[in-house]
Amino acid sequence: MVVTRRCRAGGTSAVTPAVDPTATMPDRCRCGATLAMRDIVFTRSGSGWIPNVIREDGELKLMLAAGADANHEPRTFTLSIGEAHRAVIREDLARHLLLWSALLPLCDAAGTRGRLDEDAAVALLDPVLLSPPADVDALFRRIPWDRSRLVAHGADIDLLERGQVCEAMRAATEEASAKRAQEDHADRRRAERGVLLGPLDAAILRYTGQYLHGATIPRRLPDAVDPALLPQVMRVIATAEQACAGMRIGLDPRRGNRATDKRDWDRMAATVDAAVRRAHPDLVDDAVRTVSFLMCSEAADRARSTPVEDDEETADDHADPGASARKTALTFTDDKGGEKRWLRDGPRTASAEFWAFVADRSAADNEVFTIEDEEMGEGIQLHFYADSVARITTVRHGEAGSDPQYQVEYSLVDGIGGYRNLVSAFVRGGCAALEQHGPWMSDVAEFERARRRRDAR
């Protein structure tokens, strides 16, 4: 533990207390002035954060590190104590920890640079260290105190809940368990939402690694589960796996190279939720959600690690009219001037190349992408912001300086799956192959009415 000492000239010097409790700290500041003489009188070996008893210029003091300064370095505070206090601190670990718990809120109140309220701190010494247990319990019902420190050092949580802090600390240990305090904090957060975990619920959350933090990416951690409960946990997992067998979560290039299809995710989550609730009706929502989260996360990881499918290569060419008109050269463009040329004899197919182009270029202000076949005079324009598409065919080429005439038709699209089908069909057979993906509307007003009706639903 690093301690910052202030010299009589106003400077400071960071020093590390010696392991030997009889050792004397350095007596010179960096500025050359004399530092207050400080000896460590008593320290506990279990944790470097438990307050130490020191002697500074002949006066007994309690020194504790708490909070942080503006540079995120630990702050240290001291307050004067008497011999009677020192004796209790040395002999009674429980009282020592209770005092620490009571002082920490005062240290927090000092902030990054404020002074410790020494009067309030000193006023806690006799009531916490020297009073009968019943009086200490009554005090802790009136003052703020740091629960996590006591739990980390082995406090009985049930007794803490009943306000019996002295009795709760009878089994206290010098060694601290941060995980125990974190789990207690997580349980209290759940209790605030009205959630009480049963043994199987808790085991499932431990299995997925989400007992402490529900936002943690779930994993399979069988070693974290009580062996007696593991078979029951695995039955719940098997129920989920059977429910979503054959389902997949695809990638959504509109949101980047690693984004997944939200509709696929929601569909799988709903399927798993329903199956697990039917088979295991006593599970709380948190346990059911963590299982569906696990299934969806694993499916999403599989999608990210699987090469992009070349839709036009795997599709049945005979299923689409115009399949013989498979494209040989295409141009991809976006709304920001990006452009990419694709040729059939290249290393990747048109669909794969186009969706890679979208994943690299798509953004909140770049949501219009076009695929154009210049030779055939046709193309499609995808409007990601509106879940719609336009197919464009050349009716008459421009001659003698006149502008060409185009036919533009619009259709609504059902998510990224609908877009993939459209792109694949266009690559296989051009605009003629898109007929079955309609209805197509050439009247803009009619299309806007259809879009508003869809959005309203």
Side-chain angles (χ1 to χ4, degrees):
M1 180 175 68
V2 176
V3 179
T4 301
R5 297 172 58 193
R6 185 164 299 278
C7 73
R8 296 180 177 89
T12 59
S13 179
V15 295
T16 302
V19 175
D20 181 358
T22 63
T24 302
M25 290 185 175
D27 60 359
R28 288 281 174 185
C29 177
R30 295 189 184 100
C31 69
T34 303
L35 290 166
M37 295 301 298
R38 178 179 292 175
D39 298 328
I40 295 181
V41 175
F42 174 70
T43 185
R44 294 191 181 274
S45 60
S47 169
W49 295 99
I50 300 178
N52 298 322
V53 177
I54 64 170
R55 193 179 301 278
E56 188 173 78
D57 289 343
E59 183 181 4
L60 275 179
K61 292 186 177 182
L62 188 71
M63 181 178 71
L64 66 159
D69 61 20
N71 295 321
H72 306 289
E73 295 291 339
R75 293 200 68 190
T76 57
F77 302 92
T78 61
L79 69 149
S80 298
I81 63 173
E83 285 291 345
H85 304 136
R86 180 201 60 76
V88 173
I89 288 171
R90 178 186 290 272
E91 300 300 328
D92 193 331
L93 171 64
R95 294 288 181 125
H96 191 178
L97 294 172
L98 286 170
L99 178 62
W100 186 23
S101 172
L103 290 173
L104 281 171
L106 296 177
C107 298
D108 292 339
T112 60
R113 62 181 62 187
R115 296 177 62 84
L116 176 69
D117 185 343
E118 292 191 29
D119 290 340
V122 170
L124 292 170
L125 294 174
D126 285 357
V128 174
L129 296 177
L130 305 179
S131 298
D135 291 347
V136 177
D137 292 347
L139 173 70
F140 271 65
R141 287 192 286 269
R142 300 193 306 268
I143 64 170
W145 48 283
D146 191 303
R147 174 191 175 102
S148 65
R149 302 291 179 174
L150 302 185
V151 173
H153 284 272
D156 184 302
I157 293 173
D158 290 337
L159 291 174
L160 284 184
E161 293 287 352
R162 295 201 291 267
Q164 298 173 250
V165 294
C166 288
E167 184 69 17
M169 298 305 294
R170 287 185 63 182
T173 61
E174 289 192 10
E175 294 290 340
S177 170
K179 182 179 179 182
R180 188 171 191 263
Q182 290 166 354
E183 290 186 350
D184 177 62
H185 182 62
D187 288 337
R188 288 169 64 82
R189 287 202 314 269
R190 280 188 282 265
E192 290 171 358
R193 295 188 282 112
V195 176
L196 180 62
L197 300 180
L200 181 56
D201 301 312
I204 290 172
L205 288 169
R206 294 184 194 282
Y207 178 84
T208 63
Q210 289 203 299
Y211 192 96
L212 298 182
H213 305 290
T216 303
I217 300 298
R219 298 172 293 161
R220 298 186 183 228
L221 303 170
D223 291 343
V225 180
D226 182 342
L229 288 170
L230 187 57
Q232 297 180 58
V233 172
M234 298 313 298
R235 282 195 289 272
V236 175
I237 298 300
T239 299
E241 290 173 335
Q242 293 166 9
C244 63
M247 299 183 73
R248 62 186 293 271
I249 295 179
L251 297 179
D252 188 346
R254 298 173 299 175
R255 296 164 47 225
N257 283 296
R258 292 181 57 80
T260 51
D261 185 354
K262 185 177 184 300
R263 290 191 180 189
D264 285 352
W265 182 293
D266 291 343
R267 191 179 302 115
M268 181 179 288
T271 300
V272 173
D273 275 16
V276 171
R277 289 180 196 280
R278 281 195 306 271
H280 309 278
D282 294 333
L283 293 178
V284 301
D285 288 348
D286 287 29
V288 175
R289 262 196 307 272
T290 197
V291 173
S292 62
F293 192 6
L294 175 66
M295 297 297 112
C296 291
S297 295
E298 291 180 341
D301 283 342
R302 288 193 294 271
R304 295 187 187 103
S305 60
T306 301
V308 176
E309 292 181 2
D310 294 330
D311 297 333
E312 69 271 20
E313 290 293 333
T314 58
D316 181 0
D317 283 351
H318 301 291
D320 291 309
S324 60
R326 183 186 296 277
K327 300 302 183 182
T328 58
L330 295 170
T331 301
F332 310 142
T333 58
D334 63 14
D335 224 16
K336 294 292 185 180
E339 181 175 317
K340 190 166 191 176
R341 182 80 170 166
W342 172 83
L343 298 175
R344 187 171 181 176
D345 58 0
R348 304 181 71 183
T349 57
S351 289
E353 200 71 46
F354 173 71
W355 289 118
F357 177 71
V358 170
D360 289 339
R361 301 280 301 173
S362 184
D365 60 347
N366 192 25
E367 296 186 289
V368 177
F369 287 78
T370 301
I371 307 176
E372 183 180 359
D373 183 341
E374 297 177 11
E375 182 180 352
M376 296 298 295
E378 61 182 8
I380 55 173
Q381 188 175 71
L382 286 57
H383 313 130
F384 295 149
Y385 65 91
D387 281 336
S388 66
V389 65
R391 66 175 179 176
I392 306 160
T393 54
T394 304
V395 176
R396 184 176 64 249
H397 293 280
E399 297 178 358
S402 64
D403 292 332
Q405 182 180 345
Y406 301 104
Q407 178 181 0
V408 182
E409 298 169 289
Y410 302 91
S411 184
L412 300 174
V413 183
D414 187 16
I416 187 62
Y419 279 119
R420 286 189 180 278
N421 290 336
L422 283 162
V423 169
S424 181
F426 179 76
V427 168
R428 289 196 301 272
C431 284
L434 298 177
E435 194 62 38
Q436 63 179 315
H437 296 282
W440 295 92
M441 293 161 271
S442 57
D443 184 272
V444 175
E446 178 188 0
F447 169 70
E448 284 298 323
R449 287 193 294 272
R451 189 165 71 89
R452 284 195 293 269
R453 288 193 298 271
R454 189 265 322 263
D455 293 346
R457 291 195 298 269

